[in-house]
């Protein structure tokens, strides 16, 4: 059994954070100590405690035991834009050692660590580093979140191919209903199941803004022993 995995999405707004929070609650319901991590997060607000990102705070709240914020989110960037651009505006150079140190600390305090990427799988972090390097360096299998919307079949296939091309295990995928007015969502879902074989679909989350993530765990269909590579 792998004690950690990496959550990526077909693109920005695919529902990675909400899906990750539901996953954390599902793992906790199995009696596991499960914590979330978002190594790089743009769109952070100044607080008396320092910069805080909404997605990273949601992961922290869904975790048990509750980790320190600095370990959940080693790089909090101010501007709500691509991490590469946000880091440049903050005068920050993102490097791997602080991320690896925070990940190792989280792994010592939990049974499972969920690491959520920023944006899509190939989104750049800086001129030398792309998101896809994080699961490679940390040695993590990948879970793909597919935002159900126009274009998602192409984006999902491209993402899966990029993951496979880098020799990373793909645990499966989860559909996230991000557009409540989408035409023919059931047909799109069926098309995704066909397009993404042989990788299993591990759930389909409804569009539920404001819902408690713990209440949506029945929509997942995680195999026994999840996660595993």
């Amino acid at each position: 059994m792998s004690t950690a995995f990496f959550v990526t999405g077909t693109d920005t707004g695919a529902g990675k954070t909400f899906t990750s929070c539901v996953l954390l609650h599902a793992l906790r319901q199995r009696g596991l100590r499960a914590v979330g991590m978002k190594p790089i997060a743009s769109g952070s607000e100044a607080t008396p405690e320092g910069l805080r990102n909404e997605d990273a705070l949601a992961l922290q709240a869904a975790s048990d035991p509750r980790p320190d914020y600095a370990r959940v989110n080693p790089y909090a960037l101010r501007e709500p834009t691509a991490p590469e651009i946000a880091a440049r505006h903050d005068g920050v150079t993102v490097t791997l050692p602080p991320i690896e140190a925070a990940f190792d600390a989280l792994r010592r305090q939990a049974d499972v660590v969920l690491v959520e990427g920023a944006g899509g799988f190939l989104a750049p972090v800086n001129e030398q580093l792309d998101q896809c390097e994080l699961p490679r360096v940390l040695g993590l299998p990948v879970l793909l979140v597919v935002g159900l919307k126009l274009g998602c079949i192409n984006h999902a296939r491209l993402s899966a191919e990029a993951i496979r091309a880098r020799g990373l295990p793909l645990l499966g995928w989860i559909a996230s209903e991000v557009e409540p007015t989408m035409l023919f969502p059931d047909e799109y879902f069926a098309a995704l199941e066909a397009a993404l074989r042989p990788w299993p679909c591990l759930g389909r989350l409804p569009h539920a803004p404001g819902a408690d993530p713990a209440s949506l765990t029945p929509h997942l269909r995680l195999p026994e022993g999840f996660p595993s590579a």
Side-chain angles (χ1 to χ4, degrees):
M1 175 177 176
S2 173
T3 57
F5 60 102
F6 185 82
V7 175
T8 191
T10 42
D11 57 1
T12 298
K16 293 189 306 297
T17 299
F18 191 70
T19 299
S20 295
C21 289
V22 176
L23 281 165
L24 286 170
H25 281 286
L27 292 165
R28 289 172 53 188
Q29 289 169 8
R30 292 183 173 190
L32 297 169
R33 297 173 302 158
V35 301
M37 179 184 186
K38 193 173 180 77
I40 307 158
S42 54
S44 304
E45 295 186 1
T47 74
E49 293 77 32
L51 289 174
R52 294 292 184 266
N53 173 266
E54 183 179 9
D55 290 348
L57 288 171
L59 293 174
Q60 184 188 40
S63 299
D64 186 24
R66 188 182 178 104
D68 293 338
Y69 184 86
R71 290 178 175 172
V72 174
N73 180 210
Y75 286 101
L77 307 172
R78 293 177 186 273
E79 299 299 330
T81 189
E84 178 185 23
I85 297 171
R88 190 180 306 136
H89 277 270
D90 279 358
V92 171
T93 300
V94 175
T95 61
L96 290 171
I99 294 172
E100 293 176 279
F103 173 74
D104 289 341
L106 291 176
R107 207 165 196 176
R108 288 193 295 271
Q109 74 178 90
D111 299 312
V112 182
V113 181
L114 179 160
V115 181
E116 182 195 331
F121 185 66
L122 296 181
V125 175
N126 55 43
E127 292 180 357
Q128 290 79 38
L129 182 66
D130 292 335
Q131 285 289 319
C132 61
E133 286 297 295
L134 296 182
R136 185 189 65 79
V137 169
L138 299 176
L140 306 181
V142 180
L143 178 70
L144 177 64
V145 177
V146 180
L148 279 182
K149 58 183 177 180
L150 187 64
C152 66
I153 300 171
N154 179 58
H155 290 164
R157 293 182 69 183
L158 288 172
S159 298
E161 288 294 331
I163 294 165
R164 184 173 66 173
R166 283 154 182 80
L168 295 169
L170 179 54
L171 296 174
W173 59 283
I174 294 175
S176 174
E177 297 184 359
V178 295
E179 290 189 359
T181 60
M182 179 186 183
L183 295 176
F184 317 118
D186 293 338
E187 293 179 48
Y188 268 83
F189 181 73
L192 282 166
E193 287 190 301
L196 293 177
R197 290 192 182 104
W199 301 292
C201 177
L202 304 182
R204 178 179 176 181
L205 297 180
H207 182 72
D212 180 0
S215 69
L216 297 180
T217 58
H219 293 274
L220 297 177
R221 47 193 195 210
L222 304 182
E224 194 65 31
F226 176 87
S228 60

